[in-house]
Amino acid sequence: MILVTGGAGFIGANFVLDWLALESEPVVNLDALTYAGNLGNLAAAAGNTRHVFVRGDIGDRALVASLLAQHRPRAVVNLAAETHVDRSIVGPVPFIETNVVATCSLLETVKAWWTTLAMAGRSTFRFLHVSTDEVYGSLDATAPPFTETTAYEPNSPYSASKAASDHFVRAYHHTYGLPTLTTNCSNNYGPRQFPEKLIPLTIVNALGGKPLPVYGDGHNVRDWLYVADHCAAIRKVLAQGTPGATYNIGGNAEMKNVDVVRSICTVLSERRPGRDYLQQITFVRDRPGHDRRYAIDATRMRSELGWTPGESFASGIRRTVSWYLDNEDWLAAVMSGAYHDWVSLQYAAIA
Ligand code: NAD
Ligand code: TYD
């Protein structure tokens, strides 16, 4: 079996559901259920005996040690993290606590258990750490995309905390021989993403007749990766990746933010006509230290592991908008009091 952390979050839940559908091994899913964790994301796994959900913190050494001893996973896939850049700007400390301190604690607990395994189990075990392209910093318009050897230059408290965790993963491989794998992916989108991130926030606000906030001039560029493609890439790296290696995963879909928002308006005007969604676009104060462009060179994933993304942005955004339109109950459940508190703090001028 495998142990997945953060499996009640956006990517984690998609990963767990796809895993249960496509693989035969059971999953133990460890998640602290922070504001971003949502058991409703795992509704499709209800009653599945191959899925064991445990509420807990990756930094809880006694809990993690007991899960490892009890379930003896052949791999740990670490997705648990604080993930929203704007929240990291308002308050970096939880990012340091989870992404650095608790992640190091997880590494230490896993290493202590791994060293007790027989040689065969030690060599086949994998610790796969899911990270971000944001660790590489910002590109100008003409710079080549990030490769696995691009120097780390994190600019936000979020990306600095992820960079720190990546360095510790690297060190645990180099120093102790722990068979680690690190993936650095671009911006994900798709079903079950919490509506604090650009794409679900835009869909939710558009449907609610609210402003669609675009930071600065809207020309910041991100490379958009459909979440199911990302999950397939993680499975590939887990199955075939070389211990100690890192893998850049991207969607081949660089887009300016304002064009992302416009494309959502276009899909919505077909699916829910009757409102001029484009009129709702509102340019707002820029994010402090806002990285201009991220772009991924995923040559290693293609040439070494035979992975390429299946969705274009045009097809992926249609799937995504459709999912949100078809899952109003999910949306109503996540739009809790805590969500409203964040929106009124972050978007005070236009809320
Ligand atoms: P998310 O915020 O939707 O979910 C994070 C999950 O981790 C939540 O379920 C939360 O409850 C859980 N969690 C947080 N702290 C925890 C702790 N201390 N112990 C146990 N569980 C904890 O995040 P996501 O978008 O699904 O991202 C998953 C991973 O992918 C993260 O490591 C993130 O840095 C990385 N990533 C995300 C993106 C993206 O676009 N979403 C892009 C690149 C990399
Ligand atoms: P986000 O989804 O927060 O992901 P990240 O910051 O990790 O890339 O933001 C994606 C891009 O959209 C980023 O350039 C910031 C921008 N953005 C807006 O313009 N308006 C918003 O309300 C949000 C949340 C993001």
Side-chain angles (χ1 to χ4, degrees):
M1 57 87 62
I2 63 166
L3 172 62
V4 173
T5 72
F10 162 51
I11 301 170
N14 280 282
F15 180 79
V16 167
L17 294 179
D18 288 357
W19 183 275
L20 292 171
L22 298 167
E23 308 279 338
S24 57
E25 285 170 296
V27 180
V28 172
N29 182 350
L30 173 65
D31 194 297
L33 295 181
T34 68
Y35 79 92
N38 176 5
L39 285 179
N41 288 345
L42 295 161
N48 189 325
T49 53
R50 289 189 297 123
H51 179 236
V52 178
F53 182 81
V54 178
R55 182 175 190 176
D57 197 301
I58 56 169
D60 182 340
R61 291 202 58 181
L63 173 65
V64 174
S66 76
L67 291 175
L68 294 169
Q70 182 187 349
H71 297 286
R72 308 188 66 75
R74 68 157 178 101
V76 172
V77 180
N78 182 36
L79 293 127
E82 290 292 334
T83 64
H84 189 32
V85 173
D86 293 320
R87 286 185 191 257
S88 83
I89 293 168
V90 172
V93 171
F95 289 74
I96 300 163
E97 287 170 349
T98 286
N99 300 358
V100 187
V101 178
T103 304
C104 289
S105 168
L106 177 68
L107 275 167
E108 186 59 18
T109 313
V110 170
K111 190 257 287 177
W113 176 74
W114 171 79
T115 54
T116 68
L117 300 178
M119 195 49 85
R122 289 177 63 168
S123 63
T124 55
F125 180 80
R126 297 287 182 269
F127 182 96
L128 191 155
H129 177 63
V130 175
S131 190
T132 169
D133 61 357
E134 304 192 23
V135 298
Y136 297 121
S138 185
L139 295 168
D140 63 32
T142 56
F146 304 129
T147 69
E148 288 81 359
T149 56
T150 301
Y152 274 32
E153 286 183 357
N155 290 319
S156 72
Y158 164 66
S159 55
S161 68
K162 292 296 290 187
S165 66
D166 294 6
H167 290 322
F168 274 100
V169 171
R170 175 189 162 86
Y172 269 68
H173 174 73
H174 189 83
T175 305
Y176 306 112
L178 188 70
T180 62
L181 300 158
T182 299
T183 56
N184 295 87
C185 70
S186 58
N187 286 59
N188 281 222
Y189 68 107
R192 304 177 185 84
Q193 187 167 29
F194 192 72
E196 63 185 356
K197 307 277 168 69
L198 178 65
I199 286 180
L201 181 91
T202 299
I203 297 170
V204 168
N205 282 12
L207 291 171
K210 295 183 182 151
L212 310 181
V214 175
Y215 297 163
D217 64 3
H219 285 213
N220 301 69
V221 172
R222 300 291 182 263
D223 168 18
W224 293 95
L225 171 65
Y226 191 67
V227 65
D229 284 331
H230 182 204
C231 294
I234 295 173
R235 292 194 300 276
K236 270 276 183 196
V237 173
L238 190 58
Q240 295 170 37
T242 304
T246 71
Y247 295 88
N248 280 3
I249 304 169
N252 284 335
E254 280 188 58
M255 302 265 295
K256 289 179 183 152
N257 291 337
V258 69
D259 292 335
V260 169
V261 173
R262 284 189 187 123
S263 70
I264 294 168
C265 294
T266 303
V267 178
L268 276 175
S269 55
E270 292 165 19
R271 294 289 315 269
R272 285 278 167 92
R275 184 182 281 149
D276 186 357
Y277 298 104
L278 289 169
Q279 289 293 328
Q280 292 170 229
I281 294 176
T282 307
F283 290 88
V284 300
R285 189 171 55 90
D286 208 356
R287 169 187 283 172
H290 195 176
D291 284 339
R292 194 63 174 168
R293 173 175 167 245
Y294 304 139
I296 281 273
D297 178 343
T299 302
R300 176 175 285 175
M301 283 298 297
R302 187 178 65 247
S303 61
E304 293 183 18
L305 303 185
W307 174 90
T308 51
E311 297 288 346
S312 65
F313 186 78
S315 64
I317 199 66
R318 280 180 185 281
R319 279 178 185 273
T320 304
V321 170
S322 294
W323 189 87
Y324 281 86
L325 291 176
D326 295 343
N327 287 275
E328 285 173 359
D329 292 350
W330 179 92
L331 207 48
V334 300
M335 306 284 274
S336 66
Y339 177 74
H340 288 293
D341 292 347
W342 166 250
V343 168
S344 50
L345 175 73
Q346 176 68 4
Y347 302 100
I350 57 161

